[in-house]
Amino acid sequence: MNKKKVNLQKNKFVSSRSSKQKINKNKRTESSRKWISRQLNDPYVSEAQKRGFRSRSAFKLLQINEKFNLLKSGMSIIDLGCAPGGWLQVMSEEINKNSKGKIVGIDLLETDALPDVKILVGDINDQEIIDQVKIFFKGQKVNGVVSDMAADTTGHKPTDHIRTTMLLENAIEIAFDFLKKDGFFLGKCFKGGTEASVLNTLNNSFKTVKHVKPDASRKESVESYVLAMGFKQ
Ligand SMILES: C[S@@+](CC[C@H](N)C(=O)[O-])C[C@H]1O[C@@H](n2cnc3c(N)ncnc32)[C@H](O)[C@@H]1O
């Protein structure tokens, strides 16, 4: 049996999107054909499998971290939208190097367990989930909040844009609630109009704010990341 096919079918991260898309059958067949071909030809997909990463997204965080040196041993971090756990794997390795750090990952979907990582299943907008995060950190503030959250795409670009921007705004609210002085926030965003207001909010609260598009983020994708460092509190 073809190993690649088996692994790709198991990959929750990539397979969960297509089932909810409301597009006609022919288009879906065409787009899923393109998707399969892209996966099979994508060096990051095969490299992720080789290195035991649960998602190709892991490389996005690795590349951002290589450039900005965000993750340090002993840090405490919240990962919003963590499933299937690629970013958690990268962070857990970096922050548990010399002394133990603390990580919480939250997702609507189940995430397989990882050593030294607390995983919560639920919506980041649910106060009960946020209360559990507070209990886990014993009311202490954290060094970083990261969000790779994406809403299920509808195929209608303005709608997708608004939904992802809303998730980004929710993530920023959580960052404001949890970050300690000089902490960082990294969040997925879409390039485009409504980001201006989000950028304003971040610029007022952090020393530096920039957009980052790691090589592992597909060029044709409108995905980008906003990185805010030096939280002013
Ligand atoms: C691109 S995936 C994250 C991939 C992850 N960074 C990794 O490396 O494996 C985005 C995730 O955001 C989650 N998500 C979207 N909206 C959410 C919400 N309101 N609360 C929690 N998770 C959410 C989705 O369920 C999905 O698993």
Side-chain angles (χ1 to χ4, degrees):
M1 207 188 281
N2 182 328
K3 197 174 162 217
K4 260 184 184 163
K5 270 188 191 157
V6 173
N7 284 337
L8 290 176
Q9 277 166 1
K10 275 187 184 167
N11 190 332
K12 267 196 263 174
F13 165 56
V14 279
S15 64
S16 60
R17 296 172 61 204
S18 51
S19 62
K20 290 184 187 164
Q21 283 179 328
K22 286 185 182 156
I23 45 182
N24 77 47
K25 212 177 167 190
N26 291 337
K27 220 171 159 188
R28 190 176 62 218
T29 311
E30 174 59 18
S31 72
S32 58
R33 224 182 290 124
K34 276 191 191 152
W35 178 83
I36 290 168
S37 138
R38 206 173 55 198
Q39 290 296 108
L40 292 175
N41 292 313
D42 184 338
Y44 287 112
V45 172
S46 49
E47 190 59 21
Q49 286 169 355
K50 260 190 238 157
R51 291 172 61 170
F53 286 134
R54 296 175 179 183
S55 65
R56 74 184 290 294
S57 278
F59 291 103
K60 299 176 194 171
L61 184 61
L62 275 176
Q63 289 168 356
I64 293 171
N65 188 47
E66 221 163 78
K67 194 161 177 191
F68 297 99
N69 198 19
L70 296 174
L71 305 170
K72 301 196 179 70
S73 192
M75 276 186 162
S76 45
I77 298 192
I78 302 172
D79 183 355
L80 306 170
C82 64
W87 282 27
L88 288 177
Q89 288 175 295
V90 170
M91 291 192 290
S92 174
E93 168 130 10
E94 292 296 326
I95 73 164
N96 289 312
K97 265 184 181 154
N98 303 318
S99 51
K100 277 230 180 276
K102 279 185 120 184
I103 311 181
V104 171
I106 307 165
D107 205 292
L108 297 167
L109 306 174
E110 299 264 348
T111 304
D112 288 344
L114 271 171
D116 300 318
V117 174
K118 170 85 174 168
I119 289 167
L120 300 172
V121 181
D123 192 321
I124 60 128
N125 296 306
D126 180 349
Q127 188 55 43
E128 266 180 42
I129 289 283
I130 298 303
D131 290 344
Q132 286 186 56
V133 177
K134 285 191 173 146
I135 291 167
F136 177 76
F137 287 114
K138 301 192 173 101
Q140 302 280 307
K141 301 280 181 176
V142 304
N143 301 99
V145 173
V146 298
S147 165
D148 194 20
M149 281 188 299
D152 281 341
T153 49
T154 61
H156 182 250
K157 279 186 185 158
T159 306
D160 292 340
H161 184 103
I162 289 168
R163 290 169 58 168
T164 295
T165 303
M166 276 171 70
L167 282 177
L168 177 65
E169 286 172 352
N170 301 148
I172 291 170
E173 265 176 43
I174 293 174
F176 284 176
D177 200 9
F178 279 91
L179 280 183
K180 59 169 79 164
K181 192 168 182 293
D182 283 329
F184 69 87
F185 171 77
L186 174 66
K188 194 205 289 279
C189 56
F190 275 2
K191 287 182 191 159
T194 45
E195 266 177 58
S197 61
V198 175
L199 278 181
N200 259 348
T201 311
L202 291 174
N203 274 322
N204 289 334
S205 307
F206 290 85
K207 286 181 196 151
T208 60
V209 179
K210 47 188 88 185
H211 273 110
V212 201
K213 173 102 175 157
D215 286 346
S217 176
R218 292 187 173 103
K219 285 194 180 54
E220 68 275 19
S221 156
V222 287
E223 167 193 88
S224 173
Y225 290 88
V226 63
L227 173 61
M229 291 180 290
F231 185 55
K232 294 179 194 162
Q233 259 185 337

